[in-house]
Amino acid sequence: MITSRQNGLVKRIRALRDKKYRDESGEFVVEGVKSVREAVSRGFTADCVVATVKGAALVSDLNFEPEILSDDVFISVSEEVSPQGVLAIVKKPTISADTVTEKCVFLDGVGDPANVGAIIRSAAAFGYNTVIIADGADAYSNKAVRASMGGIFRVRVIAGTRAETLEKVKVPLILADMKGETLGFLKVPEEHCLVIGNEAHGVSEELKSRATLTVSIPMENGMESLNAAVSAGILMYALNH
């Protein structure tokens, strides 16, 4: 049992809170029994699993032997309010995508990892199997992974600068903007890219200049805007019905 917070593995897990280290190592942290199970079942490689004694019992049927941490040390590496005592270091998937020709979501500077995770969750639910993140929050942060509720294991995530990611998109861009056309009987290409802008500043001018269509969500009671993740979920559903 590991009882020291200075243990090398413990330090490695804490280091993965930093995006730079996640990028360099090609790894991220998945926490919780359901999430660890889901990562394994979806074919992600768990490089290492750590657990408390109680946590290990919850995943005893899986094909790995976790490193056991004392309760105190596990709390030091956990980012959950109520840890379940199970955590895995998981390899990021290898993404090869010269072009994107299918239905996708483009996050243009979305900076809140909770929003990124929630949008990934909706994308998985509504069949948008590629999520592109341009100059935004890291989809592999603990907060985003948790908010995705397993969606991170079901969609392809492509991240980079606005210029390099936009170059890959080969389907029409459908922008979400409160000045756009109201959703209703609009005809939208089946294969399209839904663009969701930054929480404070909206969609960039570069994306606006490339848009095929700009759409808005009708609202009542004097409300003019919605949370980015809420807007994305509504639009993904509406554009597919």
Side-chain angles (χ1 to χ4, degrees):
M1 177 183 290
I2 296 173
T3 58
S4 170
R5 296 188 180 196
Q6 302 307 310
N7 176 272
L9 176 58
V10 173
K11 289 182 176 180
R12 178 184 167 197
I13 295 169
R14 284 202 297 266
L16 285 168
R17 295 177 181 178
D18 185 82
K19 182 180 184 302
K20 182 179 179 182
Y21 188 73
R22 290 195 298 272
D23 289 343
E24 290 175 352
S25 65
E27 300 170 331
F28 66 108
V29 170
V30 175
E31 186 169 356
V33 175
K34 185 176 183 296
S35 294
V36 170
R37 284 181 178 279
E38 199 150 8
V40 173
S41 69
R42 300 295 297 184
F44 281 66
T45 301
D47 187 64
C48 178
V49 177
V50 301
T52 61
V53 172
K54 289 183 179 179
L58 298 175
V59 291
S60 59
D61 59 313
L62 297 182
N63 190 29
F64 47 67
E65 190 70 33
E67 292 279 355
I68 303 299
L69 306 186
S70 67
D71 291 352
D72 176 66
V73 172
F74 191 92
I75 288 171
S76 77
V77 298
S78 172
E79 293 187 65
E80 300 286 352
V81 175
S82 301
Q84 292 182 308
V86 179
L87 177 154
I89 296 176
V90 175
K91 292 288 187 183
K92 291 183 184 180
T94 301
I95 303 296
S96 57
D98 295 327
T99 59
V100 179
T101 57
E102 73 276 8
K103 189 168 60 176
C104 61
V105 182
F106 191 105
L107 306 187
D108 184 23
V110 175
D112 185 338
N115 280 338
V116 169
I119 292 170
I120 288 173
R121 179 183 183 181
S122 293
F126 297 125
Y128 287 77
N129 295 324
T130 296
V131 175
I132 302 166
I133 302 173
D135 299 319
D138 182 17
Y140 295 102
S141 70
N142 186 282
K143 194 172 183 179
V145 171
R146 183 167 61 247
S148 80
M149 295 296 289
I152 193 71
F153 308 124
R154 289 172 163 78
V155 303
R156 176 175 60 160
V157 175
I158 299 171
T161 66
R162 183 179 294 113
E164 65 190 13
T165 51
L166 183 56
E167 186 180 336
K168 297 177 184 292
V169 180
K170 304 302 179 185
V171 291
L173 299 180
I174 311 298
L175 265 62
D177 189 277
M178 58 184 173
K179 295 180 181 178
E181 296 183 57
T182 302
L183 281 172
F185 297 100
L186 293 174
K187 289 189 176 181
V188 177
E190 183 176 347
E191 305 300 339
H192 60 267
C193 179
L194 173 62
V195 180
I196 304 295
N198 173 269
E199 293 89 344
H201 307 294
V203 178
S204 64
E205 292 301 322
E206 186 176 1
L207 270 293
K208 287 180 179 179
S209 68
R210 294 273 301 272
T212 298
L213 185 66
T214 302
V215 298
S216 64
I217 300 169
M219 287 177 272
E220 299 180 9
N221 296 314
M223 300 303 293
E224 295 183 348
S225 64
L226 294 169
N227 168 272
V230 172
S231 296
I234 292 171
L235 288 167
M236 280 186 266
Y237 175 81
L239 293 172
N240 282 284
H241 290 79

